[in-house]
Amino acid sequence: MLKTLRERNFALLWTGGIISGFGDWLLLVALPIFVYNLSGSSLATGAMFIIQILPRVLLAPVAGVFVDRWDRKRVMVISDIIRGVVLLSLLFVQSTDLLWIVYLVALVMSSVAQFFGPADSALVPSLVEKENLIAANSLTSLAANLTRLAGPALGGLLMEWIGFNAVIVLDSISFFFSALLIGLITKRATAQAQPAEDEPAATSQLAGIWQEFWDGLQVVRRDPMLVAIFLVVGLAMPAEGIMQVLLVIFVENILGGSAQHFGLMYSADGIGSLLGSFGIVWAQRTLPPNRLVGVSAILLGLIMVAQFNILSLNVFLILSILVGIVQVGVFVSMTTLVQMRVPEQYLGRVFASFVTVVSLSTLAGLLFASFLGDALSTQSVLNIAAGITIAAGALALVLLRNAARREALSVETEAA
């Protein structure tokens, strides 16, 4: 797996991901604590997450089209610079009257990220050989989770020792460093698909944009395995939305933890994800990616049940390590399946469609937790999230297995 890091361009992309990811984890821990402590409301906290996810629903399809037509490296560099500048606006938020700045920054940051994410995922296959995709995706997961080892815990400590502003500055700097490293990539991957001379450019004709997005959806529709992945994600992600809103409340109000403990939760998750990033290469020798998705999701849901019902802070943190391990099995397997089955010129659009499904599904969970989190038991709603995860895993086992069987039967029929 480490052999892939000898590829200079992928190594630059990977290192940039570590730097910006580290800053992101600082803010991910600090921001919901800051908003909740300032407002004392799960609705106000949930509103921040809802605003963040709206651009994923509205912009992701359009962003995917542009990613397939623009230079992906340039998209990522510009996105990082914009986010580094905009983030500094949070330095002005000192009271509930200025919470609108948090929401505005969240909206802009998320909007820009809709271009960065698909460009990042679509750039990787052009930087490594196809047979190294699993290793590259595992390394990407490793980079994301290495940042959890120190980032979340440090974010909680900085909140208590230095304050929210220090976290903002560090995250902003991380974006600028990431932009610098990505800018040093010398091999540029450009989309193969280009508009015909007699067609209106997608940048100027909205109809052309949606037509190209529709073409990407047809790639998904024609592949039963991709359809199954989209359905499983649609069922699973409301659980993520619920946890985004309620975990900080669960840790502070039910487990009696602090900002530091909330950060340690993510760090424990990162330790598990780090172990999972190494272990998934071995696991996929035993289970193919289509089966690993379902098995991992079911295990994840069962661990969540234990987390939300034992009601011990120490046990909760220990189980967070197991959560990190099995999460890698779910998401790396899904990403690999998509990358292996989608033509390069459609990757941006398909990943953008994937983000749209993830976002709509997560939004449902955010709305549920935000509006009912103050009325219902936090523990009960989190148990619902665990049940949703188990159901999604069972659905994955059935749908992905059936898709694989139909594909194998089709191949046999054609060979005959």
Side-chain angles (χ1 to χ4, degrees), residues 67-117:
V67 164
D68 279 339
R69 302 175 71 89
W70 292 345
D71 182 273
R72 289 163 182 166
K73 182 186 103 172
R74 186 176 302 163
V75 169
M76 296 170 70
V77 170
I78 294 175
S79 297
D80 271 343
I81 293 173
I82 292 174
R83 288 184 291 180
V85 172
V86 170
L87 189 61
L88 295 174
S89 302
L90 293 178
L91 294 172
F92 297 101
V93 180
Q94 303 297 330
S95 66
T96 54
D97 294 338
L98 296 176
L99 271 179
W100 64 268
I101 297 179
V102 175
Y103 299 144
L104 180 60
V105 169
L107 180 65
V108 174
M109 296 276 289
S110 181
S111 298
V112 174
Q114 303 323 302
F115 294 88
F116 184 94

Short mmCIF file of all heavy atoms in Angstrom, two decimals, residues 67-117:
data_model
loop_
_atom_site.label_atom_id
_atom_site.label_comp_id
_atom_site.label_asym_id
_atom_site.label_seq_id
_atom_site.Cartn_x
_atom_site.Cartn_y
_atom_site.Cartn_z
N VAL A 67 -16.85 19.88 -12.84
CA VAL A 67 -15.64 19.14 -12.49
C VAL A 67 -15.19 18.27 -13.67
O VAL A 67 -13.99 18.11 -13.91
CB VAL A 67 -15.88 18.29 -11.22
CG1 VAL A 67 -14.80 17.23 -11.07
CG2 VAL A 67 -15.92 19.19 -9.99
N ASP A 68 -16.14 17.71 -14.40
CA ASP A 68 -15.80 16.88 -15.56
C ASP A 68 -15.33 17.71 -16.75
O ASP A 68 -14.81 17.15 -17.72
CB ASP A 68 -17.01 16.02 -15.97
CG ASP A 68 -17.15 14.78 -15.10
OD1 ASP A 68 -16.14 14.39 -14.48
OD2 ASP A 68 -18.25 14.22 -15.02
N ARG A 69 -15.51 19.04 -16.70
CA ARG A 69 -15.15 19.87 -17.84
C ARG A 69 -13.96 20.79 -17.53
O ARG A 69 -13.28 21.25 -18.45
CB ARG A 69 -16.35 20.72 -18.27
CG ARG A 69 -17.58 19.90 -18.64
CD ARG A 69 -18.77 20.79 -18.94
NE ARG A 69 -18.60 21.51 -20.19
CZ ARG A 69 -18.98 21.05 -21.38
NH1 ARG A 69 -19.55 19.86 -21.47
NH2 ARG A 69 -18.79 21.76 -22.47
N TRP A 70 -13.71 21.06 -16.27
CA TRP A 70 -12.63 21.95 -15.88
C TRP A 70 -11.40 21.15 -15.46
O TRP A 70 -11.45 19.94 -15.27
CB TRP A 70 -13.06 22.83 -14.70
CG TRP A 70 -14.11 23.84 -15.03
CD1 TRP A 70 -14.51 24.26 -16.26
CD2 TRP A 70 -14.89 24.59 -14.09
NE1 TRP A 70 -15.49 25.20 -16.16
CE2 TRP A 70 -15.75 25.43 -14.84
CE3 TRP A 70 -14.96 24.62 -12.71
CZ2 TRP A 70 -16.65 26.29 -14.23
CZ3 TRP A 70 -15.85 25.48 -12.10
CH2 TRP A 70 -16.69 26.31 -12.87
N ASP A 71 -10.30 21.85 -15.31
CA ASP A 71 -9.09 21.26 -14.76
C ASP A 71 -9.31 20.99 -13.28
O ASP A 71 -9.54 21.91 -12.50
CB ASP A 71 -7.90 22.20 -14.96
CG ASP A 71 -6.61 21.61 -14.44
OD1 ASP A 71 -6.34 21.79 -13.25
OD2 ASP A 71 -5.90 20.97 -15.23
N ARG A 72 -9.25 19.73 -12.88
CA ARG A 72 -9.61 19.35 -11.52
C ARG A 72 -8.64 19.88 -10.48
O ARG A 72 -9.03 20.23 -9.36
CB ARG A 72 -9.74 17.82 -11.44
CG ARG A 72 -10.97 17.33 -12.18
CD ARG A 72 -10.94 15.86 -12.48
NE ARG A 72 -12.15 15.47 -13.24
CZ ARG A 72 -12.31 14.32 -13.87
NH1 ARG A 72 -11.32 13.43 -13.86
NH2 ARG A 72 -13.42 14.06 -14.52
N LYS A 73 -7.37 19.93 -10.84
CA LYS A 73 -6.38 20.48 -9.92
C LYS A 73 -6.67 21.94 -9.62
O LYS A 73 -6.65 22.37 -8.46
CB LYS A 73 -4.98 20.33 -10.50
CG LYS A 73 -3.87 20.83 -9.59
CD LYS A 73 -2.52 20.81 -10.27
CE LYS A 73 -2.11 22.20 -10.69
NZ LYS A 73 -0.72 22.24 -11.19
N ARG A 74 -6.98 22.70 -10.64
CA ARG A 74 -7.26 24.12 -10.46
C ARG A 74 -8.50 24.34 -9.61
O ARG A 74 -8.56 25.23 -8.76
CB ARG A 74 -7.43 24.79 -11.82
CG ARG A 74 -7.57 26.30 -11.76
CD ARG A 74 -7.63 26.87 -13.17
NE ARG A 74 -6.43 26.52 -13.92
CZ ARG A 74 -6.34 26.59 -15.24
NH1 ARG A 74 -7.39 27.01 -15.95
NH2 ARG A 74 -5.21 26.27 -15.85
N VAL A 75 -9.51 23.51 -9.82
CA VAL A 75 -10.74 23.60 -9.02
C VAL A 75 -10.40 23.42 -7.54
O VAL A 75 -10.90 24.17 -6.67
CB VAL A 75 -11.75 22.53 -9.47
CG1 VAL A 75 -12.91 22.41 -8.47
CG2 VAL A 75 -12.30 22.86 -10.85
N MET A 76 -9.55 22.45 -7.23
CA MET A 76 -9.23 22.17 -5.84
C MET A 76 -8.41 23.29 -5.20
O MET A 76 -8.65 23.66 -4.04
CB MET A 76 -8.47 20.84 -5.76
CG MET A 76 -9.32 19.65 -6.20
SD MET A 76 -8.37 18.12 -6.38
CE MET A 76 -8.00 17.78 -4.66
N VAL A 77 -7.46 23.85 -5.95
CA VAL A 77 -6.64 24.94 -5.41
C VAL A 77 -7.49 26.17 -5.11
O VAL A 77 -7.41 26.76 -4.02
CB VAL A 77 -5.51 25.29 -6.40
CG1 VAL A 77 -4.81 26.58 -5.97
CG2 VAL A 77 -4.51 24.15 -6.51
N ILE A 78 -8.32 26.56 -6.05
CA ILE A 78 -9.17 27.74 -5.85
C ILE A 78 -10.14 27.52 -4.70
O ILE A 78 -10.39 28.42 -3.88
CB ILE A 78 -9.92 28.08 -7.15
CG1 ILE A 78 -8.93 28.52 -8.23
CG2 ILE A 78 -10.96 29.17 -6.91
CD1 ILE A 78 -9.55 28.75 -9.59
N SER A 79 -10.69 26.31 -4.61
CA SER A 79 -11.63 25.99 -3.52
C SER A 79 -10.96 26.14 -2.16
O SER A 79 -11.54 26.71 -1.22
CB SER A 79 -12.16 24.57 -3.68
OG SER A 79 -12.90 24.44 -4.87
N ASP A 80 -9.73 25.65 -2.03
CA ASP A 80 -9.02 25.76 -0.76
C ASP A 80 -8.74 27.22 -0.38
O ASP A 80 -8.89 27.61 0.78
CB ASP A 80 -7.70 24.99 -0.83
CG ASP A 80 -7.85 23.54 -0.42
OD1 ASP A 80 -8.86 23.20 0.21
OD2 ASP A 80 -6.94 22.74 -0.73
N ILE A 81 -8.36 28.02 -1.35
CA ILE A 81 -8.06 29.43 -1.07
C ILE A 81 -9.31 30.17 -0.61
O ILE A 81 -9.29 30.93 0.36
CB ILE A 81 -7.45 30.10 -2.31
CG1 ILE A 81 -6.06 29.52 -2.61
CG2 ILE A 81 -7.35 31.62 -2.11
CD1 ILE A 81 -5.44 30.00 -3.89
N ILE A 82 -10.41 29.94 -1.31
CA ILE A 82 -11.67 30.61 -0.93
C ILE A 82 -12.07 30.23 0.49
O ILE A 82 -12.42 31.09 1.31
CB ILE A 82 -12.79 30.25 -1.92
CG1 ILE A 82 -12.50 30.87 -3.30
CG2 ILE A 82 -14.14 30.71 -1.39
CD1 ILE A 82 -13.48 30.45 -4.37
N ARG A 83 -11.99 28.96 0.81
CA ARG A 83 -12.41 28.52 2.14
C ARG A 83 -11.49 29.06 3.22
O ARG A 83 -11.95 29.42 4.32
CB ARG A 83 -12.46 26.98 2.19
CG ARG A 83 -13.63 26.42 1.40
CD ARG A 83 -13.74 24.92 1.52
NE ARG A 83 -12.64 24.22 0.84
CZ ARG A 83 -12.53 22.90 0.83
NH1 ARG A 83 -13.41 22.14 1.46
NH2 ARG A 83 -11.53 22.33 0.17
N GLY A 84 -10.19 29.14 2.94
CA GLY A 84 -9.28 29.70 3.92
C GLY A 84 -9.57 31.14 4.25
O GLY A 84 -9.44 31.57 5.41
N VAL A 85 -9.99 31.93 3.25
CA VAL A 85 -10.31 33.35 3.46
C VAL A 85 -11.65 33.51 4.18
O VAL A 85 -11.77 34.26 5.17
CB VAL A 85 -10.31 34.09 2.12
CG1 VAL A 85 -10.83 35.51 2.30
CG2 VAL A 85 -8.92 34.10 1.50
N VAL A 86 -12.67 32.81 3.68
CA VAL A 86 -14.02 32.97 4.23
C VAL A 86 -14.08 32.54 5.69
O VAL A 86 -14.78 33.15 6.51
CB VAL A 86 -15.03 32.16 3.39
CG1 VAL A 86 -16.39 32.09 4.08
CG2 VAL A 86 -15.16 32.76 2.00
N LEU A 87 -13.34 31.52 6.05
CA LEU A 87 -13.38 31.00 7.41
C LEU A 87 -13.02 32.04 8.45
O LEU A 87 -13.54 32.02 9.58
CB LEU A 87 -12.43 29.80 7.52
CG LEU A 87 -12.47 28.97 8.80
CD1 LEU A 87 -13.85 28.35 8.99
CD2 LEU A 87 -11.40 27.90 8.76
N LEU A 88 -12.17 32.98 8.10
CA LEU A 88 -11.73 34.00 9.05
C LEU A 88 -12.87 34.91 9.50
O LEU A 88 -12.74 35.61 10.52
CB LEU A 88 -10.61 34.84 8.44
CG LEU A 88 -9.30 34.08 8.15
CD1 LEU A 88 -8.31 34.98 7.41
CD2 LEU A 88 -8.69 33.54 9.44
N SER A 89 -13.98 34.91 8.78
CA SER A 89 -15.14 35.73 9.19
C SER A 89 -15.69 35.29 10.54
O SER A 89 -16.33 36.09 11.24
CB SER A 89 -16.24 35.65 8.14
OG SER A 89 -15.79 36.07 6.88
N LEU A 90 -15.46 34.04 10.93
CA LEU A 90 -15.98 33.55 12.21
C LEU A 90 -15.33 34.24 13.40
O LEU A 90 -15.84 34.16 14.52
CB LEU A 90 -15.76 32.04 12.31
CG LEU A 90 -16.56 31.17 11.34
CD1 LEU A 90 -16.22 29.71 11.53
CD2 LEU A 90 -18.06 31.38 11.54
N LEU A 91 -14.23 34.92 13.17
CA LEU A 91 -13.57 35.64 14.26
C LEU A 91 -14.44 36.74 14.83
O LEU A 91 -14.23 37.19 15.96
CB LEU A 91 -12.24 36.23 13.77
CG LEU A 91 -11.15 35.23 13.37
CD1 LEU A 91 -9.98 35.97 12.73
CD2 LEU A 91 -10.68 34.44 14.59
N PHE A 92 -15.44 37.18 14.07
CA PHE A 92 -16.30 38.29 14.51
C PHE A 92 -17.48 37.83 15.34
O PHE A 92 -18.20 38.66 15.91
CB PHE A 92 -16.81 39.08 13.29
CG PHE A 92 -15.73 39.73 12.49
CD1 PHE A 92 -15.29 39.15 11.30
CD2 PHE A 92 -15.13 40.90 12.91
CE1 PHE A 92 -14.29 39.75 10.55
CE2 PHE A 92 -14.13 41.50 12.18
CZ PHE A 92 -13.70 40.92 10.99
N VAL A 93 -17.74 36.53 15.45
CA VAL A 93 -18.92 36.02 16.15
C VAL A 93 -18.62 35.98 17.65
O VAL A 93 -17.80 35.18 18.11
CB VAL A 93 -19.31 34.62 15.64
CG1 VAL A 93 -20.55 34.12 16.39
CG2 VAL A 93 -19.56 34.65 14.15
N GLN A 94 -19.31 36.83 18.40
CA GLN A 94 -19.11 36.90 19.85
C GLN A 94 -20.40 36.78 20.64
O GLN A 94 -20.37 36.73 21.87
CB GLN A 94 -18.42 38.23 20.22
CG GLN A 94 -17.09 38.46 19.51
CD GLN A 94 -16.03 37.44 19.88
OE1 GLN A 94 -16.03 36.91 20.98
NE2 GLN A 94 -15.12 37.15 18.95
N SER A 95 -21.56 36.76 19.96
CA SER A 95 -22.84 36.69 20.66
C SER A 95 -23.86 36.01 19.76
O SER A 95 -23.63 35.80 18.57
CB SER A 95 -23.33 38.09 21.04
OG SER A 95 -23.62 38.85 19.88
N THR A 96 -25.03 35.69 20.34
CA THR A 96 -26.09 35.03 19.57
C THR A 96 -26.60 35.93 18.45
O THR A 96 -27.11 35.43 17.44
CB THR A 96 -27.26 34.64 20.49
OG1 THR A 96 -27.70 35.79 21.22
CG2 THR A 96 -26.84 33.56 21.47
N ASP A 97 -26.49 37.25 18.62
CA ASP A 97 -26.94 38.16 17.57
C ASP A 97 -26.13 38.00 16.30
O ASP A 97 -26.58 38.40 15.21
CB ASP A 97 -26.83 39.62 18.06
CG ASP A 97 -27.79 39.93 19.20
OD1 ASP A 97 -28.79 39.19 19.33
OD2 ASP A 97 -27.52 40.87 19.96
N LEU A 98 -24.93 37.46 16.42
CA LEU A 98 -24.06 37.31 15.26
C LEU A 98 -23.97 35.87 14.77
O LEU A 98 -23.11 35.54 13.94
CB LEU A 98 -22.65 37.82 15.59
CG LEU A 98 -22.55 39.32 15.91
CD1 LEU A 98 -21.12 39.68 16.33
CD2 LEU A 98 -22.96 40.15 14.70
N LEU A 99 -24.86 35.02 15.25
CA LEU A 99 -24.86 33.63 14.79
C LEU A 99 -25.13 33.53 13.29
O LEU A 99 -24.75 32.54 12.65
CB LEU A 99 -25.91 32.81 15.55
CG LEU A 99 -25.45 32.16 16.86
CD1 LEU A 99 -26.60 31.41 17.51
CD2 LEU A 99 -24.27 31.22 16.62
N TRP A 100 -25.76 34.56 12.74
CA TRP A 100 -26.02 34.52 11.30
C TRP A 100 -24.71 34.46 10.50
O TRP A 100 -24.69 33.91 9.39
CB TRP A 100 -26.84 35.77 10.89
CG TRP A 100 -26.12 37.08 11.07
CD1 TRP A 100 -26.16 37.88 12.17
CD2 TRP A 100 -25.26 37.73 10.12
NE1 TRP A 100 -25.38 39.00 11.97
CE2 TRP A 100 -24.83 38.94 10.72
CE3 TRP A 100 -24.84 37.43 8.83
CZ2 TRP A 100 -23.98 39.83 10.07
CZ3 TRP A 100 -23.99 38.32 8.18
CH2 TRP A 100 -23.56 39.49 8.79
N ILE A 101 -23.63 34.98 11.08
CA ILE A 101 -22.33 34.88 10.40
C ILE A 101 -21.90 33.43 10.32
O ILE A 101 -21.36 32.98 9.29
CB ILE A 101 -21.27 35.73 11.13
CG1 ILE A 101 -21.64 37.22 11.09
CG2 ILE A 101 -19.88 35.51 10.51
CD1 ILE A 101 -20.66 38.13 11.80
N VAL A 102 -22.11 32.67 11.39
CA VAL A 102 -21.78 31.25 11.38
C VAL A 102 -22.55 30.55 10.27
O VAL A 102 -21.99 29.75 9.51
CB VAL A 102 -22.11 30.61 12.75
CG1 VAL A 102 -21.89 29.09 12.69
CG2 VAL A 102 -21.26 31.22 13.85
N TYR A 103 -23.84 30.85 10.17
CA TYR A 103 -24.67 30.20 9.15
C TYR A 103 -24.24 30.60 7.74
O TYR A 103 -24.22 29.76 6.82
CB TYR A 103 -26.14 30.55 9.38
CG TYR A 103 -26.67 30.09 10.72
CD1 TYR A 103 -27.59 30.86 11.44
CD2 TYR A 103 -26.24 28.90 11.29
CE1 TYR A 103 -28.08 30.43 12.67
CE2 TYR A 103 -26.71 28.48 12.52
CZ TYR A 103 -27.64 29.25 13.20
OH TYR A 103 -28.11 28.83 14.42
N LEU A 104 -23.88 31.88 7.56
CA LEU A 104 -23.45 32.34 6.24
C LEU A 104 -22.13 31.69 5.84
O LEU A 104 -21.96 31.23 4.70
CB LEU A 104 -23.32 33.86 6.24
CG LEU A 104 -22.86 34.50 4.91
CD1 LEU A 104 -23.85 34.17 3.80
CD2 LEU A 104 -22.69 36.00 5.07
N VAL A 105 -21.19 31.65 6.78
CA VAL A 105 -19.90 31.01 6.50
C VAL A 105 -20.10 29.53 6.20
O VAL A 105 -19.49 28.97 5.28
CB VAL A 105 -18.93 31.20 7.68
CG1 VAL A 105 -17.69 30.32 7.52
CG2 VAL A 105 -18.52 32.66 7.81
N ALA A 106 -20.97 28.89 6.96
CA ALA A 106 -21.26 27.46 6.72
C ALA A 106 -21.80 27.26 5.33
O ALA A 106 -21.45 26.28 4.64
CB ALA A 106 -22.24 26.95 7.77
N LEU A 107 -22.66 28.17 4.88
CA LEU A 107 -23.25 28.07 3.54
C LEU A 107 -22.19 28.22 2.46
O LEU A 107 -22.14 27.42 1.50
CB LEU A 107 -24.33 29.14 3.37
CG LEU A 107 -25.04 29.18 2.02
CD1 LEU A 107 -25.85 27.91 1.82
CD2 LEU A 107 -25.94 30.41 1.92
N VAL A 108 -21.33 29.22 2.59
CA VAL A 108 -20.29 29.45 1.58
C VAL A 108 -19.28 28.31 1.56
O VAL A 108 -18.90 27.80 0.49
CB VAL A 108 -19.58 30.80 1.83
CG1 VAL A 108 -18.42 30.97 0.87
CG2 VAL A 108 -20.56 31.95 1.69
N MET A 109 -18.83 27.90 2.74
CA MET A 109 -17.83 26.83 2.82
C MET A 109 -18.36 25.53 2.21
O MET A 109 -17.66 24.85 1.46
CB MET A 109 -17.46 26.58 4.29
CG MET A 109 -16.78 27.73 4.98
SD MET A 109 -15.00 27.78 4.70
CE MET A 109 -14.48 26.39 5.66
N SER A 110 -19.59 25.22 2.50
CA SER A 110 -20.18 24.00 1.96
C SER A 110 -20.39 24.09 0.46
O SER A 110 -20.19 23.11 -0.27
CB SER A 110 -21.51 23.70 2.66
OG SER A 110 -22.09 22.52 2.17
N SER A 111 -20.76 25.28 -0.02
CA SER A 111 -20.96 25.47 -1.46
C SER A 111 -19.67 25.23 -2.23
O SER A 111 -19.65 24.54 -3.25
CB SER A 111 -21.48 26.88 -1.74
OG SER A 111 -22.74 27.09 -1.13
N VAL A 112 -18.58 25.80 -1.72
CA VAL A 112 -17.29 25.62 -2.38
C VAL A 112 -16.84 24.16 -2.32
O VAL A 112 -16.27 23.62 -3.27
CB VAL A 112 -16.23 26.54 -1.74
CG1 VAL A 112 -14.86 26.27 -2.31
CG2 VAL A 112 -16.62 28.01 -1.95
N ALA A 113 -17.13 23.52 -1.20
CA ALA A 113 -16.71 22.12 -1.03
C ALA A 113 -17.37 21.19 -2.04
O ALA A 113 -16.83 20.12 -2.34
CB ALA A 113 -17.04 21.66 0.39
N GLN A 114 -18.52 21.59 -2.59
CA GLN A 114 -19.19 20.73 -3.57
C GLN A 114 -18.38 20.60 -4.86
O GLN A 114 -18.56 19.64 -5.61
CB GLN A 114 -20.58 21.28 -3.88
CG GLN A 114 -21.49 21.43 -2.68
CD GLN A 114 -21.31 20.31 -1.67
OE1 GLN A 114 -21.48 19.13 -1.99
NE2 GLN A 114 -20.97 20.66 -0.43
N PHE A 115 -17.51 21.56 -5.11
CA PHE A 115 -16.62 21.45 -6.26
C PHE A 115 -15.34 20.70 -5.90
O PHE A 115 -14.81 19.93 -6.69
CB PHE A 115 -16.26 22.86 -6.79
CG PHE A 115 -17.45 23.59 -7.36
CD1 PHE A 115 -18.26 24.36 -6.55
CD2 PHE A 115 -17.74 23.49 -8.71
CE1 PHE A 115 -19.35 25.03 -7.08
CE2 PHE A 115 -18.82 24.16 -9.25
CZ PHE A 115 -19.64 24.93 -8.43
N PHE A 116 -14.86 20.91 -4.67
CA PHE A 116 -13.61 20.27 -4.25
C PHE A 116 -13.77 18.76 -4.14
O PHE A 116 -12.92 18.00 -4.62
CB PHE A 116 -13.16 20.85 -2.92
CG PHE A 116 -11.82 20.33 -2.45
CD1 PHE A 116 -10.67 21.04 -2.74
CD2 PHE A 116 -11.72 19.16 -1.73
CE1 PHE A 116 -9.43 20.57 -2.32
CE2 PHE A 116 -10.49 18.67 -1.31
CZ PHE A 116 -9.34 19.38 -1.61
N GLY A 117 -14.84 18.31 -3.50
CA GLY A 117 -15.01 16.88 -3.22
C GLY A 117 -15.02 16.00 -4.47
O GLY A 117 -14.22 15.07 -4.59
#
